[in-house]
Amino acid sequence: RVYLQYLKKESEEQPKVQGKIDEAVPPLSDYVPFVKANLHNQFVAKQLLLMVYYLDVGDTIVRKNLANELGALVTSTRISLPVKKVLLSSVRFLVADEDQYVRMISEFAAELQDPLESTQRFYTPPPSPSPSPS
């Protein structure tokens, strides 16, 4: 990611550096599987998620699909909170419309809530202790 950041800065001054950025960025078809495979390593996962700012996501369909795939990872229990924060900022970058972003995150939050509700239905609280006669 740092190398891409450097190349991006250099490409503003030297347009021919853009080809090096294209070579350094993984193909979009490999990006999400690569992120998923590295979720166990918090540092690597965060760096990969930050690479989204350098991907070629000019096509709205590609952008939407990538946002949906990354957004779906929010519900994963394998991801730590710091990684989820970076994940959400990456998804926010991909979703241009704020209302659409809020809707998307709401849907993922509903998915998180449903399993919790189903376990709460089967939970029977222990009986409260009866007061002892004095």
Side-chain angles (χ1 to χ4, degrees), residues 1-112:
R1 177 199 56 96
V2 175
Y3 178 61
L4 288 173
Q5 198 171 17
Y6 167 77
L7 289 175
K8 184 72 169 176
K9 185 177 177 183
E10 288 295 311
S11 72
E12 292 169 3
E13 298 169 10
Q14 301 174 17
K16 59 183 174 185
V17 174
Q18 183 63 38
K20 290 184 180 181
I21 293 175
D22 295 339
E23 291 173 11
V25 173
L28 286 175
S29 59
D30 296 340
Y31 178 72
V32 174
F34 198 57
V35 169
K36 287 179 182 179
N38 288 284
L39 287 174
H40 63 282
N41 185 328
Q42 183 172 318
F43 176 78
V44 173
K46 286 167 73 174
Q47 297 304 306
L48 287 171
L49 288 168
L50 289 171
M51 284 177 62
V52 80
Y53 296 98
Y54 305 99
L55 297 175
D56 181 17
V57 289
D59 182 11
T60 55
I61 295 172
V62 170
R63 195 177 189 94
K64 182 180 178 186
N65 289 341
L66 185 58
N68 286 333
E69 286 189 57
L70 290 177
L73 295 175
V74 171
T75 60
S76 175
T77 57
R78 299 181 321 150
I79 303 175
S80 66
L81 186 58
V83 173
K84 284 188 182 186
K85 287 179 181 179
V86 176
L87 175 63
L88 288 172
S89 70
S90 298
V91 172
R92 178 64 187 111
F93 169 75
L94 292 168
V95 179
D97 181 35
E98 188 173 342
D99 291 335
Q100 184 182 358
Y101 174 72
V102 170
R103 241 186 336 270
M104 175 189 276
I105 298 304
S106 298
E107 289 173 11
F108 295 132
E111 288 178 30
L112 284 173

